[in-house]
Amino acid sequence: DAGVIQSPRHEVTEMGQEVTLRCKPISGHNSLFWYRQTMMRGLELLIYFNNNVPIDDSGMPEDRFSAKMPNASFSTLKIQPSEPRDSAVYFCASSLGTSGSTQYFGPGTRLTVL
Amino acid sequence: GEDVEQSLFLSVREGDSSVINCTYTDSSSTYLYWYKQEPGAGLQLLTYIFSNMDMKQDQRLTVLLNKKDKHLSLRIADTQTGDSAIYFCAESSNSGNTPLVFGKGTRLSVIA
């Protein structure tokens, strides 16, 4: 299996621009998670989906952040407009969604907003 | 709310054992995990333990859980330079379809 796939791996953009991060979960996995990693706050959950339905988006920092999961094999995290404080590594993870199943992480997208 | 605490740094000599400690606050934590992150990489699941277990051993890795004190530890035997990384403790009440709560990570440095 290819594992969780994220793109792009690196993104550098200017403040005010729209940024779209992409994630392809492991085939057959029913739960998908978006986490953000910063030096100050560590790893934080942004949003997660079960069976393509958003369950908890309370970790999304502001209305500038939005996430979608149009089908079982694809999810996007969009930031519009981006700000320098959004600079972080964004991880996508997926799991089977059954009790006790483990979460597998993608390689992450390193976002730099200038 | 839920909280997971870890010490930030640990330095050991090659060949020695490393012990990374973690405490958590959520008494409903059912699954406890150790992830490893190498520079520029994602998180790699190392091992996990269910809350009804006290210990789990997997080759060089030994996980100890003291549920009463909400204390988790990861022991790496015969530590190698390739073990240098950041180690994250994480907990979940269900794991499969609920988020993980992570500690800030312990940076392990192995001195040759």
Side-chain angles (χ1 to χ4, degrees):
Chain A
D1 197 320
V4 176
I5 298 172
Q6 290 187 248
S7 65
R9 292 293 310 275
H10 302 274
E11 176 81 33
V12 180
T13 190
E14 292 188 344
M15 182 173 64
Q17 296 298 305
E18 177 180 296
V19 175
T20 299
L21 311 181
R22 296 172 176 80
C23 175
K24 178 177 168 54
I26 293 172
S27 177
H29 280 192
N30 297 321
S31 294
L32 184 140
F33 306 81
W34 283 100
Y35 295 90
R36 179 171 68 174
Q37 185 179 34
T38 61
M39 288 292 291
M40 291 297 294
R41 299 175 68 90
L43 275 155
E44 302 175 289
L45 177 78
L46 297 176
I47 186 171
Y48 75 101
F49 299 82
N50 286 337
N51 297 310
N52 311 339
V53 175
I55 303 301
D56 184 356
D57 65 354
S58 61
M60 298 284 260
E62 300 169 31
D63 291 345
R64 298 184 296 107
F65 286 69
S66 62
K68 293 182 180 179
M69 192 163 186
N71 57 62
S73 58
F74 184 65
S75 177
T76 59
L77 177 68
K78 186 178 292 186
I79 309 172
Q80 166 63 19
S82 58
E83 296 183 3
R85 60 191 165 127
D86 302 330
S87 297
V89 181
Y90 291 80
F91 288 104
C92 176
S94 71
S95 75
L96 285 171
T98 53
S99 179
S101 57
T102 52
Q103 293 183 24
Y104 295 89
F105 281 72
T109 296
R110 181 175 294 277
L111 173 65
T112 303
V113 183
L114 303 174
Chain B
E2 303 148 349
D3 195 20
V4 177
E5 297 284 340
Q6 298 178 243
S7 53
L8 294 181
F9 300 100
L10 177 65
S11 182
V12 299
R13 292 201 176 276
E14 190 175 21
D16 288 350
S17 292
S18 307
V19 179
I20 303 171
N21 294 301
C22 167
T23 57
Y24 59 97
T25 58
D26 189 357
S27 57
S28 67
S29 296
T30 306
Y31 301 90
L32 295 135
Y33 297 83
W34 286 104
Y35 281 85
K36 176 184 180 183
Q37 185 179 33
E38 297 184 23
L43 277 75
Q44 172 195 354
L45 177 66
L46 281 180
T47 187
Y48 62 93
I49 190 168
F50 299 135
S51 60
N52 61 358
M53 299 168 65
D54 298 324
M55 185 183 86
K56 181 178 180 181
Q57 188 154 0
D58 184 0
Q59 299 181 338
R60 292 191 297 123
L61 305 179
T62 302
V63 179
L64 294 177
L65 174 61
N66 181 327
K67 195 174 180 184
K68 173 177 171 290
D69 294 338
K70 299 190 183 69
H71 182 267
L72 182 74
S73 68
L74 173 69
R75 179 177 180 270
I76 306 173
D78 188 25
T79 312
Q80 302 297 307
T81 54
D83 295 323
S84 294
I86 301 176
Y87 291 80
F88 290 92
C89 172
E91 64 87 15
S92 173
S93 59
N94 178 290
S95 169
N97 57 10
T98 56
L100 298 173
V101 177
F102 286 90
K104 291 279 197 298
T106 299
R107 183 180 295 275
L108 174 65
S109 297
V110 182
I111 305 164

